[in-house]
Amino acid sequence: MTGLLGYAVLLLAISLAMPQELFNQQSAHFLLAIGLIASWRYIWAATHLVRSLIYRHIVFPRLRREADAMGPEGMPSHAYLLLTSFRIDTETSTDVYRAAIEEAARTNIPVTLVASLVEMADQRLVKQLFVAMDPPPHVKLAFIRIGGTGKRDALAQGLRTIQMMRPPAGAIVAVIDGDTVLEPYCLQRSLPFFKVMPDISAFTTDEVCEVRGARVFHDWYNMRFAQRQILMCSMGLSKRVLTLTGRMSAFRVEVATDPGFIKQLESDTIDHWRLGRFSFLTGDDKSTWYWILRHGGKMAYIPDVTVSTVESPPDNDFVRASTMLMVRWFGNMLRNNSRALALGPQKIGLFVWWTVLDQRVSMWTATVGPTAAVLLTLYYGPMSLVVYAYWIAVTRFIQTLALLTARKDVAWTFPFLLFFNQVYGSLVKTYIFFRLDRQKWTRQNTTVSRNLGDFSKQVINMTSWSMHAVAILLFLACVGTYLGVFKPFSFLPLL
C-alpha cells in the first residue's frame, strides 16, 4: 500500500505541475472523444463491481448462514476427488496430495481420491504419501494410469472410473488440478451448498496463488485473481459463472458421470465456417461449463472458500510468458464464445448472454484509446499523447482501488499491469480470433494435429492473415472517422 500511496502523490504532483496550455482545444477534443467511447466500458465495469458487492455482502451471507446451519446433514453421501497430474514437480505434487488427503480425513463422509496419472513415479509418490499419512477408514485411494495424451483423456478416464464405482445418490465429484492445494476445511465449507441451492449443477471457488518467478509475475497473477473475484461474484448473482475452472470445481454426480458430459469433455469439437472442424486441445473447464449451460443448468460461486494454486510461468521473460498464457486462456474463451451466444438470452439469461457478447466486443474497444492517442498525435502533435498518458495513469489508479473490494492489498504495479492486460491482451485476442484452430499447452509441447494438406494449410493461413488485416484497417478507419482525422469517403475522387 505504501507504493500505491506514492503513486497517488506522484499523480497529484504531476497534475499540479502541468502547464495550462497542455489542455488546449485539441486535448479537450481528445478527452471528449475518448471519454465517450470509454464511458460505457467504465459503466459496465462499475455494474460488475456493484453486482459483486451485492452478492458478497447481501445475497451470499444468507446462503452461508443456511449452509453452516445444516452441519453434518449438509454434506453429500460420498465425495469423489478427481486429481490429475502430469509433469508437475515432486514438491508441488506432495503439497497437493497431502492437502487433499488431510481434507478428506477432516470430513465425516466417505471420500474416494481418484488419482489420474501418467508416470509411475507419481503413482509411487502418492501411494507412499497415503500410507505414511494413514488416513481414517472412510478415505480411500484409487489410481488410473493413462498415456500422456492430455488432460482431457485423464479427466474422462477418471470420470468413467467413478461411474463404474456405482456412486450413491447425492454424491459429488470434485475436479482438482495437479497444482491446486486445498485450503483446510474447504470441502466442509463448500459441499453443503449443493443442498442449500438444489437447483445448481456445479460450483467453483475463489483462488489465490503461490507464484514461482519474478515479482512482476506475482503481481500480475494476484491482479488477475482479484479481477476474477469481482467478475465471478457478479456472475454468481445470476447463478452462472463464465468458467468451471479445473483448479477446483465440484459437480453433482449425475452430471459428472453423464455419458454426454464425459464425451464432450473428452473430445470436444467445433465447426467453423472457414477453419472447418477441429478438436479442442485445452479448455476442458470451458467444455464442462458449456455442457451445463446448454442443458439449462445453473452454477454457483463460493467467494469465501479458497484454493491455492502453484503458478510456474512458462518463461522467465514476462512478455513471452504472458503471451503464451494469454494465447491459451483467450483461445479457450473465444472458441466457446460463438456457441454460447447461439444459446440465446432466453436459455442462459440476458445478463450472462450480454457478458459473453462483451467478451467479443471488448477486444476491440480496449484498443480504441491508444489508437486514438496515436492518430491524434500524428494529426495535432504530441500533446494528445501526453494527455492520454495522464488519463491512463488516473483511470487505472481508480480501477486498482476498486480491486480493494476483492483483496486486502494491491500493489503499485497494478495500474501498469491493468493497462498491459487490457491493451496487449486485446491485441492477442484479435490475433487468436482469426486463428481459433491454433492451440498449444504451456506445460508440454503438445499441439493440435489436423492432418491437413499443405495447400489447405496455406489457404487457411492466407485467409487468416487477410481477414485480420482487413479488420484492422476497418477498425483504424472507424476510429479515425469518429475522431475527425479521416474524412469519410475521401478516397472516392481517386477512383
Side-chain angles (χ1 to χ4, degrees), residues 3-150:
L4 203 62
L5 181 60
Y7 183 97
V9 171
L10 181 61
L11 282 181
L12 180 61
I14 292 175
S15 67
L16 295 175
M18 278 185 173
Q20 289 297 319
E21 56 267 23
L22 185 63
F23 298 98
N24 53 25
Q25 183 178 357
Q26 289 80 11
S27 298
H29 171 68
F30 167 77
L31 288 175
L32 179 61
I34 294 302
L36 290 175
I37 292 291
S39 60
W40 78 275
R41 297 300 316 157
Y42 296 142
I43 291 172
W44 183 240
T47 299
H48 277 302
L49 179 62
V50 171
R51 283 172 56 91
S52 73
L53 293 173
I54 292 173
Y55 183 72
R56 264 180 291 155
H57 298 292
I58 298 176
V59 176
F60 184 78
R62 175 180 56 80
L63 298 173
R64 167 54 66 197
R65 288 192 294 270
E66 292 181 23
D68 292 344
M70 281 190 169
E73 294 182 359
M75 296 296 285
S77 59
H78 197 120
Y80 297 87
L81 308 185
L82 175 57
L83 297 98
T84 57
S85 300
F86 181 55
R87 292 185 179 175
I88 295 176
D89 62 272
T90 301
E91 180 184 356
T92 300
S93 293
T94 301
D95 292 342
V96 167
Y97 282 94
R98 178 183 289 115
I101 295 169
E102 289 176 346
E103 188 59 18
R106 292 188 187 101
T107 66
N108 296 317
I109 60 171
V111 179
T112 302
L113 281 79
V114 181
S116 186
L117 309 171
V118 173
E119 297 166 341
M120 177 58 74
D122 287 335
Q123 182 171 334
R124 286 196 294 265
L125 171 67
V126 175
K127 187 172 183 180
Q128 290 172 1
L129 189 63
F130 189 83
V131 171
M133 294 181 66
D134 189 26
H138 71 265
V139 181
K140 307 296 182 184
L141 176 64
F143 288 108
I144 306 167
R145 289 287 304 284
I146 68 164
T149 51

Side-chain angles (χ1 to χ4, degrees), residues 136-448:
H138 71 265
V139 181
K140 307 296 182 184
L141 176 64
F143 288 108
I144 306 167
R145 289 287 304 284
I146 68 164
T149 51
K151 183 182 175 184
R152 287 181 177 271
D153 288 340
L155 290 171
Q157 291 299 326
L159 293 177
R160 289 194 179 101
T161 299
I162 294 171
Q163 188 181 50
M164 290 187 292
M165 292 177 180
R166 298 184 179 276
I172 67 94
V173 178
V175 177
I176 304 167
D177 268 358
D179 57 1
T180 301
V181 178
L182 300 182
E183 296 291 323
Y185 302 100
C186 70
L187 292 180
Q188 289 167 281
R189 301 188 68 242
S190 62
L191 297 185
F193 281 88
F194 279 115
K195 292 188 176 180
V196 172
M197 306 172 73
D199 57 340
I200 65 168
S201 299
F203 70 69
T204 192
T205 67
D206 188 18
E207 295 179 25
V208 295
C209 60
E210 174 193 338
V211 182
R212 296 176 180 174
R215 177 59 188 265
V216 64
F217 288 109
H218 179 271
D219 290 348
W220 186 60
Y221 275 104
N222 284 341
M223 181 200 71
R224 286 185 57 84
F225 282 133
Q227 290 178 301
R228 177 185 183 273
Q229 175 78 331
I230 292 175
L231 180 60
M232 295 290 261
C233 285
S234 172
M235 304 308 298
L237 200 60
S238 299
K239 289 192 177 180
R240 301 289 195 282
V241 292
L242 293 181
T243 184
L244 286 168
T245 175
R247 298 306 178 87
M248 207 300 259
S249 293
F251 304 81
R252 293 190 187 274
V253 72
E254 57 268 25
V255 172
T257 58
D258 186 289
F261 180 88
I262 298 174
K263 182 179 179 181
Q264 178 146 20
L265 175 60
E266 183 179 34
S267 55
D268 202 357
T269 60
I270 188 172
D271 291 307
H272 191 274
W273 68 274
R274 180 174 59 86
L275 303 173
R277 171 171 290 190
F278 57 90
S279 300
F280 286 28
L281 176 64
T282 60
D284 53 276
D285 49 358
K286 287 290 190 179
S287 295
T288 56
W289 167 77
Y290 175 71
W291 190 93
I292 292 177
L293 207 64
R294 181 164 60 90
H295 286 79
K298 295 182 179 180
M299 296 157 267
Y301 181 66
I302 306 179
D304 65 348
V305 172
T306 304
V307 298
S308 178
T309 61
V310 180
E311 304 290 350
S312 299
D315 195 285
N316 291 328
D317 181 82
F318 174 71
V319 175
R320 284 198 300 266
S322 60
T323 301
M324 294 168 66
L325 292 168
M326 285 179 179
V327 167
R328 179 163 65 87
W329 294 336
F330 298 152
N332 294 338
M333 178 194 75
L334 291 171
R335 278 184 285 275
N336 282 274
N337 187 275
S338 295
R339 63 183 187 179
L341 283 174
L343 295 176
Q346 291 183 338
K347 182 78 169 182
I348 65 177
L350 179 59
F351 187 83
V352 177
W353 184 85
W354 184 261
T355 303
V356 174
L357 176 63
D358 181 69
Q359 291 178 333
R360 177 171 295 193
V361 175
S362 63
M363 66 184 180
W364 296 104
T365 56
T367 56
V368 169
T371 302
V374 172
L375 291 177
L376 289 175
T377 295
L378 294 174
Y379 194 75
Y380 289 122
M383 288 301 100
S384 296
L385 196 60
V386 174
V387 172
Y388 177 67
Y390 187 72
W391 165 276
I392 289 299
V394 173
T395 55
R396 272 48 180 186
F397 176 71
I398 295 172
Q399 291 176 7
T400 297
L401 294 180
L403 296 181
L404 286 171
T405 64
R407 293 292 187 260
K408 295 180 179 179
D409 192 21
V410 294
W412 67 270
T413 56
F414 278 19
F416 303 97
L417 293 173
L418 280 169
F419 182 68
F420 171 79
N421 252 30
Q422 290 161 358
V423 176
Y424 185 70
S426 294
L427 296 177
V428 173
K429 287 178 187 176
T430 57
Y431 179 86
I432 292 297
F433 181 73
F434 296 99
R435 301 162 182 84
L436 294 176
D437 56 329
R438 297 189 185 183
Q439 304 168 67
K440 185 177 180 179
W441 280 106
T442 50
R443 181 174 286 130
Q444 61 208 63
N445 190 24
T446 305
T447 57
V448 171

